[in-house]
Tab-separated table of all heavy atoms in Angstrom:
chain	number	residue	atom	x	y	z
A	1210	ILE	N	-14.302	1.236	5.559
A	1210	ILE	CA	-13.961	1.312	6.976
A	1210	ILE	C	-13.892	2.777	7.415
A	1210	ILE	O	-13.751	3.676	6.571
A	1210	ILE	CB	-12.594	0.611	7.234
A	1210	ILE	CG1	-12.376	0.318	8.720
A	1210	ILE	CG2	-11.430	1.402	6.618
A	1210	ILE	CD1	-11.238	-0.674	8.976
A	1211	GLY	N	-14.009	3.014	8.695
A	1211	GLY	CA	-13.831	4.360	9.227
A	1211	GLY	C	-12.395	4.552	9.692
A	1211	GLY	O	-11.804	3.670	10.308
A	1212	MET	N	-11.838	5.707	9.357
A	1212	MET	CA	-10.483	6.049	9.768
A	1212	MET	C	-10.551	7.473	10.312
A	1212	MET	O	-10.249	8.442	9.625
A	1212	MET	CB	-9.522	5.941	8.588
A	1212	MET	CG	-8.070	5.760	8.950
A	1212	MET	SD	-7.066	5.468	7.472
A	1212	MET	CE	-5.474	5.179	8.262
A	1213	HIS	N	-10.966	7.594	11.570
A	1213	HIS	CA	-11.276	8.894	12.174
A	1213	HIS	C	-10.036	9.468	12.849
A	1213	HIS	O	-9.693	9.094	13.962
A	1213	HIS	CB	-12.426	8.720	13.181
A	1213	HIS	CG	-12.849	9.989	13.840
A	1213	HIS	ND1	-13.449	10.011	15.077
A	1213	HIS	CD2	-12.752	11.297	13.451
A	1213	HIS	CE1	-13.716	11.252	15.408
A	1213	HIS	NE2	-13.300	12.062	14.445
A	1214	PHE	N	-9.369	10.379	12.138
A	1214	PHE	CA	-8.226	11.094	12.687
A	1214	PHE	C	-8.714	12.207	13.606
A	1214	PHE	O	-9.836	12.673	13.493
A	1214	PHE	CB	-7.381	11.710	11.561
A	1214	PHE	CG	-6.638	10.719	10.716
A	1214	PHE	CD1	-7.258	10.090	9.640
A	1214	PHE	CD2	-5.313	10.414	10.982
A	1214	PHE	CE1	-6.563	9.180	8.847
A	1214	PHE	CE2	-4.605	9.514	10.195
A	1214	PHE	CZ	-5.238	8.893	9.125
A	1215	MET	N	-7.835	12.646	14.495
A	1215	MET	CA	-8.158	13.738	15.399
A	1215	MET	C	-7.453	15.022	14.937
A	1215	MET	O	-6.390	14.971	14.321
A	1215	MET	CB	-7.713	13.410	16.832
A	1215	MET	CG	-8.303	12.111	17.376
A	1215	MET	SD	-10.086	12.155	17.615
A	1215	MET	CE	-10.594	10.659	16.749
A	1216	ASN	N	-8.044	16.154	15.249
A	1216	ASN	CA	-7.507	17.453	14.838
A	1216	ASN	C	-6.696	18.097	15.977
A	1216	ASN	O	-7.183	18.133	17.110
A	1216	ASN	CB	-8.687	18.357	14.467
A	1216	ASN	CG	-8.267	19.688	13.899
A	1216	ASN	OD1	-7.201	19.829	13.317
A	1216	ASN	ND2	-9.114	20.685	14.060
A	1217	PRO	N	-5.479	18.598	15.688
A	1217	PRO	CA	-4.759	18.640	14.409
A	1217	PRO	C	-4.081	17.301	14.102
A	1217	PRO	O	-3.405	16.726	14.959
A	1217	PRO	CB	-3.726	19.749	14.620
A	1217	PRO	CG	-3.489	19.776	16.107
A	1217	PRO	CD	-4.787	19.374	16.753
A	1218	VAL	N	-4.273	16.835	12.883
A	1218	VAL	CA	-3.827	15.491	12.497
A	1218	VAL	C	-2.328	15.270	12.687
A	1218	VAL	O	-1.914	14.222	13.191
A	1218	VAL	CB	-4.239	15.183	11.039
A	1218	VAL	CG1	-3.785	13.777	10.651
A	1218	VAL	CG2	-5.745	15.314	10.877
A	1219	PRO	N	-1.447	16.230	12.310
A	1219	PRO	CA	-0.012	15.972	12.488
A	1219	PRO	C	0.417	15.801	13.940
A	1219	PRO	O	1.464	15.225	14.214
A	1219	PRO	CB	0.651	17.208	11.864
A	1219	PRO	CG	-0.367	17.756	10.920
A	1219	PRO	CD	-1.683	17.505	11.603
A	1220	VAL	N	-0.403	16.282	14.880
A	1220	VAL	CA	-0.039	16.271	16.301
A	1220	VAL	C	-0.712	15.139	17.069
A	1220	VAL	O	-0.076	14.446	17.863
A	1220	VAL	CB	-0.405	17.624	16.955
A	1220	VAL	CG1	-0.118	17.600	18.449
A	1220	VAL	CG2	0.356	18.767	16.272
A	1221	MET	N	-2.003	14.933	16.831
A	1221	MET	CA	-2.783	13.994	17.631
A	1221	MET	C	-2.481	12.544	17.241
A	1221	MET	O	-2.430	12.206	16.064
A	1221	MET	CB	-4.274	14.281	17.472
A	1221	MET	CG	-4.664	15.681	17.920
A	1221	MET	SD	-4.486	15.929	19.696
A	1221	MET	CE	-6.015	15.196	20.253
A	1222	LYS	N	-2.309	11.696	18.238
A	1222	LYS	CA	-1.872	10.316	18.020
A	1222	LYS	C	-2.996	9.345	17.687
A	1222	LYS	O	-2.777	8.320	17.051
A	1222	LYS	CB	-1.125	9.797	19.264
A	1222	LYS	CG	0.241	10.430	19.480
A	1222	LYS	CD	1.212	10.011	18.390
A	1222	LYS	CE	2.635	10.490	18.638
A	1222	LYS	NZ	3.542	10.105	17.525
A	1223	LEU	N	-4.212	9.636	18.132
A	1223	LEU	CA	-5.299	8.669	17.994
A	1223	LEU	C	-5.845	8.583	16.574
A	1223	LEU	O	-6.034	9.593	15.913
A	1223	LEU	CB	-6.441	9.045	18.943
A	1223	LEU	CG	-7.709	8.191	18.849
A	1223	LEU	CD1	-7.440	6.761	19.298
A	1223	LEU	CD2	-8.840	8.810	19.662
A	1224	VAL	N	-6.108	7.348	16.140
A	1224	VAL	CA	-6.945	7.096	14.970
A	1224	VAL	C	-8.017	6.105	15.412
A	1224	VAL	O	-7.715	4.987	15.825
A	1224	VAL	CB	-6.159	6.518	13.774
A	1224	VAL	CG1	-7.117	6.228	12.611
A	1224	VAL	CG2	-5.060	7.461	13.329
A	1225	GLU	N	-9.261	6.551	15.355
A	1225	GLU	CA	-10.392	5.682	15.699
A	1225	GLU	C	-10.749	4.886	14.446
A	1225	GLU	O	-11.174	5.448	13.436
A	1225	GLU	CB	-11.563	6.551	16.163
A	1225	GLU	CG	-12.624	5.828	16.928
A	1225	GLU	CD	-13.704	6.777	17.449
A	1225	GLU	OE1	-13.878	7.882	16.872
A	1225	GLU	OE2	-14.368	6.418	18.426
A	1226	VAL	N	-10.531	3.576	14.486
A	1226	VAL	CA	-10.766	2.705	13.328
A	1226	VAL	C	-12.121	2.031	13.513
A	1226	VAL	O	-12.305	1.235	14.435
A	1226	VAL	CB	-9.644	1.667	13.179
A	1226	VAL	CG1	-9.930	0.730	12.011
A	1226	VAL	CG2	-8.290	2.364	12.986
A	1227	ILE	N	-13.075	2.354	12.629
A	1227	ILE	CA	-14.452	1.904	12.820
A	1227	ILE	C	-14.816	0.814	11.818
A	1227	ILE	O	-14.757	1.020	10.599
A	1227	ILE	CB	-15.439	3.084	12.682
A	1227	ILE	CG1	-15.072	4.206	13.658
A	1227	ILE	CG2	-16.860	2.621	12.931
A	1227	ILE	CD1	-14.421	5.393	12.998
A	1228	ARG	N	-15.216	-0.328	12.360
A	1228	ARG	CA	-15.639	-1.452	11.531
A	1228	ARG	C	-17.122	-1.344	11.223
A	1228	ARG	O	-17.952	-1.285	12.118
A	1228	ARG	CB	-15.410	-2.777	12.267
A	1228	ARG	CG	-13.967	-3.140	12.485
A	1228	ARG	CD	-13.866	-4.528	13.091
A	1228	ARG	NE	-14.388	-5.548	12.197
A	1228	ARG	CZ	-13.830	-6.751	12.029
A	1228	ARG	NH1	-12.750	-7.078	12.714
A	1228	ARG	NH2	-14.352	-7.620	11.209
A	1229	GLY	N	-17.463	-1.316	9.937
A	1229	GLY	CA	-18.857	-1.405	9.536
A	1229	GLY	C	-19.337	-2.845	9.638
A	1229	GLY	O	-18.559	-3.769	9.944
A	1230	TYR	N	-20.609	-3.048	9.362
A	1230	TYR	CA	-21.201	-4.384	9.485
A	1230	TYR	C	-20.510	-5.392	8.581
A	1230	TYR	O	-20.342	-6.558	8.939
A	1230	TYR	CB	-22.696	-4.305	9.153
A	1230	TYR	CG	-23.446	-5.588	9.396
A	1230	TYR	CD1	-23.864	-5.939	10.669
A	1230	TYR	CD2	-23.726	-6.461	8.337
A	1230	TYR	CE1	-24.551	-7.124	10.903
A	1230	TYR	CE2	-24.411	-7.638	8.556
A	1230	TYR	CZ	-24.824	-7.970	9.842
A	1230	TYR	OH	-25.500	-9.145	10.050
A	1231	GLN	N	-20.075	-4.936	7.387
A	1231	GLN	CA	-19.464	-5.852	6.423
A	1231	GLN	C	-17.931	-5.802	6.418
A	1231	GLN	O	-17.299	-6.602	5.726
A	1231	GLN	CB	-19.961	-5.527	5.006
A	1231	GLN	CG	-21.459	-5.665	4.810
A	1231	GLN	CD	-21.847	-5.341	3.382
A	1231	GLN	OE1	-21.613	-6.122	2.455
A	1231	GLN	NE2	-22.432	-4.163	3.184
A	1232	THR	N	-17.337	-4.880	7.135
A	1232	THR	CA	-15.880	-4.726	7.102
A	1232	THR	C	-15.197	-6.013	7.559
A	1232	THR	O	-15.519	-6.558	8.617
A	1232	THR	CB	-15.423	-3.573	8.012
A	1232	THR	OG1	-16.175	-2.400	7.711
A	1232	THR	CG2	-13.946	-3.279	7.823
A	1233	THR	N	-14.232	-6.488	6.783
A	1233	THR	CA	-13.579	-7.757	7.104
A	1233	THR	C	-12.411	-7.567	8.071
A	1233	THR	O	-11.898	-6.459	8.248
A	1233	THR	CB	-13.033	-8.425	5.831
A	1233	THR	OG1	-12.052	-7.551	5.240
A	1233	THR	CG2	-14.141	-8.716	4.836
A	1234	ASN	N	-11.996	-8.686	8.669
A	1234	ASN	CA	-10.816	-8.666	9.541
A	1234	ASN	C	-9.582	-8.218	8.759
A	1234	ASN	O	-8.748	-7.478	9.286
A	1234	ASN	CB	-10.563	-10.057	10.131
A	1234	ASN	CG	-11.595	-10.443	11.164
A	1234	ASN	OD1	-12.208	-9.589	11.781
A	1234	ASN	ND2	-11.793	-11.740	11.356
A	1235	GLU	N	-9.483	-8.661	7.514
A	1235	GLU	CA	-8.321	-8.312	6.688
A	1235	GLU	C	-8.230	-6.806	6.468
A	1235	GLU	O	-7.154	-6.203	6.610
A	1235	GLU	CB	-8.401	-9.034	5.337
A	1235	GLU	CG	-7.215	-8.730	4.428
A	1235	GLU	CD	-7.325	-9.409	3.075
A	1235	GLU	OE1	-8.337	-10.109	2.837
A	1235	GLU	OE2	-6.414	-9.224	2.252
A	1236	THR	N	-9.364	-6.186	6.123
A	1236	THR	CA	-9.388	-4.731	5.929
A	1236	THR	C	-9.022	-4.013	7.214
A	1236	THR	O	-8.227	-3.066	7.216
A	1236	THR	CB	-10.776	-4.280	5.448
A	1236	THR	OG1	-11.056	-4.878	4.175
A	1236	THR	CG2	-10.852	-2.770	5.309
A	1237	THR	N	-9.583	-4.478	8.327
A	1237	THR	CA	-9.320	-3.839	9.620
A	1237	THR	C	-7.852	-3.947	9.994
A	1237	THR	O	-7.232	-2.954	10.420
A	1237	THR	CB	-10.192	-4.478	10.717
A	1237	THR	OG1	-11.573	-4.386	10.339
A	1237	THR	CG2	-9.990	-3.776	12.051
A	1238	LYS	N	-7.277	-5.113	9.843
A	1238	LYS	CA	-5.857	-5.313	10.176
A	1238	LYS	C	-4.967	-4.432	9.299
A	1238	LYS	O	-3.974	-3.869	9.773
A	1238	LYS	CB	-5.486	-6.780	10.017
A	1238	LYS	CG	-6.065	-7.683	11.091
A	1238	LYS	CD	-5.704	-9.150	10.830
A	1238	LYS	CE	-6.309	-10.067	11.894
A	1238	LYS	NZ	-6.043	-11.497	11.609
A	1239	THR	N	-5.328	-4.304	8.028
A	1239	THR	CA	-4.540	-3.470	7.111
A	1239	THR	C	-4.531	-2.023	7.576
A	1239	THR	O	-3.480	-1.367	7.614
A	1239	THR	CB	-5.102	-3.557	5.683
A	1239	THR	OG1	-5.005	-4.905	5.219
A	1239	THR	CG2	-4.330	-2.647	4.733
A	1240	ILE	N	-5.700	-1.498	7.959
A	1240	ILE	CA	-5.802	-0.098	8.372
A	1240	ILE	C	-5.156	0.116	9.741
A	1240	ILE	O	-4.533	1.162	9.986
A	1240	ILE	CB	-7.270	0.364	8.364
A	1240	ILE	CG1	-7.812	0.348	6.932
A	1240	ILE	CG2	-7.411	1.759	8.966
A	1240	ILE	CD1	-7.004	1.192	5.942
A	1241	MET	N	-5.262	-0.860	10.636
A	1241	MET	CA	-4.597	-0.752	11.937
A	1241	MET	C	-3.087	-0.662	11.739
A	1241	MET	O	-2.405	0.188	12.325
A	1241	MET	CB	-4.946	-1.953	12.813
A	1241	MET	CG	-6.413	-2.043	13.215
A	1241	MET	SD	-6.948	-0.848	14.460
A	1241	MET	CE	-6.290	-1.619	15.950
A	1242	SER	N	-2.557	-1.524	10.886
A	1242	SER	CA	-1.118	-1.541	10.610
A	1242	SER	C	-0.676	-0.262	9.909
A	1242	SER	O	0.382	0.313	10.227
A	1242	SER	CB	-0.772	-2.764	9.745
A	1242	SER	OG	0.591	-2.773	9.405
A	1243	LEU	N	-1.474	0.188	8.955
A	1243	LEU	CA	-1.163	1.422	8.230
A	1243	LEU	C	-1.106	2.615	9.185
A	1243	LEU	O	-0.211	3.452	9.098
A	1243	LEU	CB	-2.220	1.658	7.157
A	1243	LEU	CG	-2.026	2.885	6.262
A	1243	LEU	CD1	-0.833	2.699	5.347
A	1243	LEU	CD2	-3.287	3.154	5.450
Side-chain angles (χ1 to χ4, degrees):
I1210 196 165
M1212 202 174 184
H1213 181 206
F1214 290 84
M1215 304 294 129
N1216 185 27
V1218 181
V1220 176
M1221 300 293 278
K1222 289 292 186 182
L1223 176 66
V1224 178
E1225 198 176 23
V1226 177
I1227 304 105
R1228 292 186 63 140
Y1230 187 81
Q1231 299 181 74
T1232 309
T1233 61
N1234 289 335
E1235 181 182 1
T1236 297
T1237 304
K1238 288 177 181 176
T1239 298
I1240 295 304
M1241 294 287 282
S1242 177
L1243 182 69

